[in-house]
Amino acid sequence: MKVEAKHELESAKKVMTGADVLINALVEAEVDTIFGYPGGAVLPIYDAIYRSNAQFEHVLSRHEQGSIHAAEGYARVTGKPGVVIATSGPGATNLVTGITDAMMDSLPIVIFTGQVASNVIGTDAFQEADVMGITTPITKYNYQVNQLSELPGIVKEAFHVASTGRPGPVVVDIPKNISAELSTAVYESHFELPGYQPNKTPNPLQIIKLTDALSRAKKPIVLAGAGVIFAKATNELIEFAEKYHLPVTNTLLGLGCFPGSHQLSLGMAGMHGTYAANMGLYECDLLINIGARFDDRLTGNLKHFAPHAKVAHIDIDPAEIGKNVQTEIPVVADAKEALEALLKRSVELGDQLVWKERLARYKQDYPLWYERSDQQISPQWLLERVHQITDGEAIVTTDVGQHQMWAAQFYSFEKPNRWVTSGGLGTMGFGFPAAIGAQLGAPGELVVSVVGDGGFQMTAQELAVVKERNLPIKILIVNNQALGMVRQWQESFYEERYSESLFVQNPDFVKLADSYGIRGMRVNKEEDVQEVLEEAIGFDGPVVVDCQVVQQTCVYPMIAPGKGIHEMIGVSK
Amino acid sequence: MRRIITATVQDRSGVLNRITGMLHKRQFNIESISVGASETEGLSKMTFVVEVSDHQKLEQLTKQLNKQIDVLKVSDITEKAIVARELALIKVGGSGQLRAEIQGIITPFRATVIDVSRDSLTIQVTGRPDKVEALIALLRPYGIKELTKTGVTAFLRGQQPNQVTELNSFTI
Ligand SMILES: Cc1ncc(C[n+]2csc(CCOP(=O)(O)OP(=O)(O)O)c2C)c(N)n1
Ligand SMILES: [Mg+2]
C-alpha cells in the first residue's frame, strides 16, 4: 500500500533529464526538423530524442558541415529557423564554416552544441573546445548553459534572437552534466532583453524625405536585397515599383524578391550582373536600397558607385546604413513596413522618359550573352535548358563558383524563397547539403542542386542522407574538370598560369551515385541534354547528373577587381 | 580624432569579450577601456577612449556597439560637459634628497605617496588624463620603474551648460 502511494507520487512529479527539458523547449518552439550528428557530449540529448514521441524529424548527416548547410537551406526556403545539434569539440568546430556562412547571409539558425561537464571546463578535457570563444565573432549571440533551470528560457530567447530583427545564427552550448541532470522541477521560460529591441516601424519623417526625393528624381532606381525576402515584402515591392514605374535590380541574394521576367526588372547587379543593372546604379540620381548591405561584390570600387545619387537605405539593421556608402535618407525598418508606409503616400513623379529609354536601350543592346560551343556543352546554355525544362519553377540551390554565377544569370527567378546560394562567405560545399534542407522544408517541390565538380566533392558524403530518405533532389554537376572560377581569374589576371585549378582526377560521378544506390547519369553532348535532363527531372527519386561542359568558358560580363561598376568587361561578343 | 564613449551593458557572461572582440574584428583603434559596476544591479558601465579617422567611422563604432545584444545605451560624450578621471600608480626610484624633490613635484597634482621602500616610492594620482600624463612626464627623469593606469572612466556632469566651453570639454 505504502509502496504504491509512493510510486504514484513519483509518476505525478515526472522525473526528467535536462535533455528532456531541452526537447520540450524545442517542441514549444515548434521545431519540426533537426539536423544533427551525435557524440559523447550529446548522448543524453540523443537518448532523449530516442525516448521522445515528439513530432519532429531528426536528420542524421554524414558530417556536421552537412547538418548546418542543410539547416541553412531549410531556413531559406521555409523562412523558419533551422535547428542543428552537434557534439562538443570536433562536432562543434565542424560547424564553424556553416555558422559563419549563416552569419554573413543573415540566416536564422539555432545550434545546440554539447560541451564537456561543467566541472572540467577549462582543463583541456577530452573533446573540449572553447565554443563560446570560437563562435562569439560568428554568431548573432551565444549562450553557455550554467544551470538546468536556465535552459528553457535560453532556448526561447535563442529562437527569438535568431529569427527576429536581422536574422542570424545563435549557439547554445550545453555541458553534459546539465543535459544528464535529473529533475522534477518545472522551469519558467521567461526572458528579458532590454538591449535588443529591433525597430520594425519606419520613422515617418524619413518616409516623407524619401517620397520627396522620389518626386524630384529624374533617374531613380531600386536595389532590392534579401531583406525583402526575410520581410516577406515581395508583393509590396512589386506594388511600389509598379506605382512609380521604378526600375528594379537585385543583389545575388535578393534574386526572386522581384520577378526576373518583370518589365521593370534589370536583373542582377554586381560583379557578374547585367550591364543595364550596373549602369543603372552608376547613372542614377536616386538609389533606393531595400534590404541589401552594399557588399563589395555588388558595389565594385566604392569611388565609382552611384557617384551622382542621393542614397536612401531601408534596413532593419541600423549598422548597415552608412557602413559602406554614404546615405542621405536612412530608414531603419522592416522592409515590409517601410514599403507599406511608402505606398500610403502618393507623389507626382517628374518626367523620366529619357531615363526609361536609356535603361531600356542598355537592356536591349547588352543582354547577357555567351558563346556556344559546337563541340561540347556550353554551361550557360545548359542552365537555360534547366530553366526551360523546370518551367522556371524549381527551387535551385547552388555551390560557389562559375556554375553559381551562371545559375544566377540564366535561371530567372519569379518568386522568393526558391534561390538558395551562399553569398557573403562564398562557401564551397554549401549547395548540395542545402538542397537536402530545402527539400525537407518543401517536400512537394522540385529541388535542383546546381553544383561544381569541385564543390560537390567537399560535401558529397551527404548522398547517403538523400538515399536514406529517398529525397527526389536532382543534382546537376556542372563538370568542367576544374575549379572553374579560380581558373578564370588565373586566365584573366595571372597570365594563364593555372596553378592547382585543373583537376587531373575526378571521381566517376555516375559510379559514385551508384555506390550510394542513387541513379547516376552522364551527358557530354548538346544533342543529348534535353533528353537526359527531362529524364532526370521526371524521375521519381534522386538523380545525379554529371554534365560535362566546356572547361574554358568564363563568366561574363564582369567588373574586374578594383574597377568601378561602370567599367564592365565582356559586355558583348 | 579622439572620442570618449560610454556604454551601459548587461552583466552577462562573456560581454567584455564580445565587445572587445567586435572592436578588434572591425579594426577600431581603442586607447583604453574601463569597466565596472553601475548604479543599477545587473548593469555595468564601460568607458572607451578611441581614436577614429572620421565621422563615418565614429558612427559605425556607436552603431556596432548598439547592435550588441547586451548593450543598452551608447553615448558619445566627447562634446559634453563631463567628469573624466583615471588613476595611475607610478613607482619611481628615489631615496634621501630626491624624495623631497619628488614630493615637491607631485604636491600641486594632489598626488600622494602610498608606498615607500629603501630605494623607491609609489605615487598615486587621480584626475583628468591630461593631468595624469603631465605628472608622468615630470616624473620620467627620475626613472619610472613601474607604471599602471586604469583607463578613463567618465560621465556627464549634473548640469549641461548651454554652450560647452573648450575648458569643459574632454582633452587628453
Ligand atoms: C571552401 C572554399 N574554398 C575555396 C574557395 C575558393 N573558390 C571559389 S570558386 C572556386 C572554384 C570552384 O570550383 P567548382 O566547384 O568546380 O565550380 P566551378 O567554378 O568550376 O563552376 C574556389 C576554389 C571557396 N569559395 N570556398
Ligand atoms: Mg568546376
Side-chain angles (χ1 to χ4, degrees):
Chain A
M1 179 67 204
K2 240 181 174 176
V3 177
E4 248 181 64
K6 199 177 155 208
H7 191 77
E8 254 178 50
L9 200 78
E10 258 178 13
S11 60
K13 271 175 85 188
K14 232 176 104 198
V15 182
M16 296 206 294
T17 65
D20 294 325
V21 174
L22 171 67
I23 300 299
N24 287 347
L26 294 179
V27 170
E28 203 175 308
E30 296 175 8
V31 172
D32 56 23
T33 312
I34 298 175
F35 301 90
Y37 206 100
V42 287
L43 279 170
I45 298 174
Y46 276 86
D47 189 57
I49 290 174
Y50 187 92
R51 287 183 285 103
S52 165
N53 47 20
Q55 292 300 305
F56 55 66
E57 275 292 306
H58 179 278
V59 182
L60 174 66
S61 64
R62 294 301 185 270
H63 184 297
E64 288 85 354
Q65 188 182 0
S67 296
I68 188 152
H69 290 330
E72 293 181 83
Y74 173 92
R76 270 247 186 262
V77 166
T78 62
K80 296 191 288 187
V83 179
V84 177
I85 300 177
T87 194
S88 67
T93 54
N94 271 350
L95 296 175
V96 165
T97 301
I99 299 174
T100 315
D101 191 87
M103 184 69 172
M104 290 288 265
D105 287 352
S106 312
L107 291 175
I109 309 289
V110 181
I111 302 121
F112 297 93
T113 50
Q115 183 52 279
V116 299
S118 305
N119 63 326
V120 293
I121 290 179
T123 66
D124 304 315
F126 177 63
Q127 293 193 331
E128 181 183 1
D130 177 11
V131 169
M132 293 299 285
I134 292 169
T135 63
T136 292
I138 55 170
T139 49
K140 185 168 171 185
Y141 205 63
N142 59 5
Y143 306 82
Q144 189 166 65
V145 183
N146 296 314
Q147 270 167 7
L148 179 54
S149 60
E150 303 171 344
L151 184 60
I154 287 179
V155 173
K156 198 166 179 182
E157 189 177 304
F159 276 89
H160 175 73
V161 170
S163 56
T164 55
R166 177 179 181 176
V170 175
V171 164
V172 181
D173 196 36
I174 309 175
K176 187 174 184 179
N177 56 306
I178 287 175
S179 54
E181 189 177 325
L182 293 175
S183 167
T184 54
V186 178
Y187 303 112
E188 294 246 347
S189 61
H190 168 79
F191 68 85
E192 244 177 287
L193 284 172
Y196 177 70
Q197 313 281 339
N199 176 43
K200 291 184 79 173
T201 313
N203 180 337
L205 230 69
Q206 299 297 344
I207 294 294
I208 294 172
K209 262 170 81 182
L210 211 170
T211 42
D212 282 357
L214 194 54
S215 72
R216 281 194 301 276
K218 292 203 173 64
K219 305 180 197 170
I221 189 170
V222 172
L223 171 68
V228 176
I229 301 174
F230 293 130
K232 301 183 171 62
T234 286
N235 291 340
E236 289 76 8
L237 174 63
I238 296 172
E239 202 183 321
F240 178 64
E242 287 178 351
K243 177 171 177 176
Y244 295 112
H245 296 279
L246 299 170
V248 178
T249 174
N250 282 123
T251 63
L252 173 70
L253 292 180
L255 288 173
C257 81
F258 192 78
S261 65
H262 198 289
Q263 200 201 327
L264 290 166
S265 172
L266 297 176
M268 180 174 74
M271 182 172 269
H272 293 297
T274 66
Y275 184 74
N278 286 340
M279 288 311 287
L281 288 172
Y282 181 69
E283 293 179 2
C284 66
D285 67 357
L286 175 66
L287 167 54
I288 305 173
N289 172 350
I290 312 177
R293 63 178 174 86
F294 288 131
D295 172 78
D296 54 279
R297 288 275 153 129
L298 173 95
T299 62
N301 188 332
L302 279 171
K303 219 167 55 199
H304 305 294
F305 182 73
H308 318 291
K310 183 170 240 184
V311 176
H313 188 169
I314 300 169
D315 205 306
I316 191 106
D317 179 0
E320 285 304 340
I321 302 177
K323 185 180 81 177
N324 295 340
V325 173
Q326 206 193 332
T327 303
E328 284 78 17
I329 309 171
V331 186
V332 179
D334 172 77
K336 194 187 188 90
E337 291 202 19
L339 281 162
E340 280 169 353
L342 285 170
L343 284 166
K344 281 208 189 96
R345 280 178 62 84
S346 277
V347 289
E348 287 293 316
L349 259 57
D351 180 14
Q352 293 168 15
L353 202 67
V354 182
W355 176 236
K356 294 282 158 52
E357 280 178 351
R358 208 172 159 79
L359 291 178
R361 192 146 29 80
Y362 286 150
K363 214 170 143 175
Q364 202 191 332
D365 293 352
Y366 305 103
L368 291 168
W369 66 278
Y370 58 89
E371 232 147 19
R372 218 159 129 196
S373 155
D374 47 9
Q375 313 273 313
Q376 280 175 290
I377 302 169
S378 304
Q380 302 97 324
W381 178 82
L382 174 75
L383 279 148
E384 278 184 338
R385 295 278 65 73
V386 177
H387 181 263
Q388 177 245 325
I389 292 167
T390 60
D391 293 326
E393 302 216 314
I395 290 173
V396 177
T397 80
T398 80
D399 217 74
V400 169
Q402 290 185 312
H403 65 280
Q404 174 191 33
M405 291 300 121
W406 288 321
Q409 291 178 330
F410 294 97
Y411 196 99
S412 173
F413 291 89
E414 302 302 312
K415 291 192 216 138
N417 302 98
R418 309 186 75 77
W419 168 238
V420 183
T421 198
S422 165
L425 197 65
T427 307
M428 280 174 73
F430 170 89
F432 167 48
I436 294 175
Q439 185 74 80
L440 286 160
E445 303 278 354
L446 171 63
V447 177
V448 176
S449 186
V450 177
V451 295
D453 50 325
F456 182 55
Q457 292 184 62
M458 286 199 173
T459 43
Q461 75 285 345
E462 302 302 312
L463 282 168
V465 183
V466 170
K467 176 63 185 173
E468 211 162 64
R469 295 177 175 262
N470 195 30
L471 301 174
I473 301 169
K474 316 304 171 195
I475 301 144
L476 307 185
I477 305 171
V478 181
N479 184 356
N480 51 10
Q481 292 276 333
L483 299 171
M485 192 56 98
V486 174
R487 202 210 69 89
Q488 172 170 348
W489 282 52
Q490 289 170 338
E491 178 183 320
S492 303
F493 310 118
Y494 294 87
E495 296 168 331
E496 302 183 26
R497 291 187 294 276
Y498 298 123
S499 178
E500 304 295 318
S501 60
L502 306 179
F503 285 133
V504 179
Q505 183 66 56
N506 259 342
D508 180 331
F509 289 112
V510 174
K511 280 192 187 151
L512 178 71
D514 191 48
S515 75
Y516 282 96
I518 293 173
R519 183 164 178 198
M521 299 171 85
R522 176 169 296 124
V523 61
N524 47 26
K525 286 202 258 348
E526 262 196 22
E527 61 254 39
D528 299 335
V529 165
Q530 190 81 12
E531 198 189 317
V532 169
L533 285 184
E534 276 175 9
E535 171 78 26
I537 283 159
F539 182 71
D540 182 21
V543 186
V544 173
V545 189
D546 176 9
C547 309
Q548 302 192 338
V549 302
V550 186
Q551 185 179 66
Q552 290 77 15
T553 315
C554 288
V555 184
Y556 285 122
M558 179 183 194
I559 305 169
K563 295 290 183 189
I565 199 161
H566 61 310
E567 296 172 295
M568 294 199 91
I569 52 172
V571 171
S572 55
K573 262 180 221 185
Chain B
M1 51 188 173
R2 214 168 244 162
R3 309 295 292 191
I4 178 157
I5 289 164
T6 61
T8 308
V9 304
Q10 263 194 303
D11 283 338
R12 281 191 160 190
S13 76
V15 56
L16 183 60
N17 184 27
R18 216 180 281 283
I19 289 173
T20 53
M22 181 279 289
L23 296 171
H24 180 69
K25 161 178 151 184
R26 298 204 180 262
Q27 306 234 291
F28 288 111
N29 198 350
I30 306 299
E31 291 194 352
S32 79
I33 299 183
S34 72
V35 200
S38 76
E39 69 282 2
T40 312
E41 207 191 305
L43 298 185
S44 290
K45 275 264 173 61
M46 300 183 78
T47 309
F48 308 87
V49 177
V50 294
E51 179 67 41
V52 288
S53 51
D54 53 43
H55 273 281
Q56 193 193 356
K57 260 294 212 188
L58 176 64
E59 188 183 303
Q60 256 302 296
L61 174 63
T62 54
K63 281 179 166 178
Q64 291 294 346
L65 283 170
N66 257 317
K67 183 167 157 176
Q68 294 290 320
I69 308 257
D70 294 321
V71 173
L72 272 74
K73 187 167 187 271
V74 179
S75 316
D76 179 350
I77 60 173
T78 318
E79 273 146 32
K80 300 280 172 57
I82 60 171
V83 279
R85 294 291 180 271
E86 88 180 314
L87 182 144
L89 297 176
I90 311 155
K91 193 184 282 167
V92 287
S95 52
Q97 238 202 327
L98 276 182
R99 281 193 189 162
E101 209 177 306
I102 290 169
Q103 188 65 50
I105 289 171
I106 69 172
T107 304
F109 287 84
R110 291 201 212 138
T112 49
V113 174
I114 55 168
D115 184 46
V116 182
S117 73
R118 197 136 38 103
D119 53 4
S120 75
L121 59 165
T122 299
I123 296 149
Q124 170 192 312
V125 60
T126 317
R128 275 174 29 179
D130 51 348
K131 165 179 150 183
V132 172
E133 271 314 310
L135 179 61
I136 291 168
L138 286 173
L139 290 174
R140 239 178 241 297
Y142 296 91
I144 292 178
K145 293 186 158 178
E146 218 178 323
L147 171 73
T148 177
K149 290 200 279 182
T150 56
V152 181
T153 186
F155 56 40
L156 299 181
R157 286 188 183 276
Q159 201 173 2
Q160 291 293 310
N162 290 339
Q163 235 195 329
V164 180
T165 62
E166 193 61 40
L167 247 174
N168 272 334
S169 82
F170 176 78
T171 49
I172 301 180

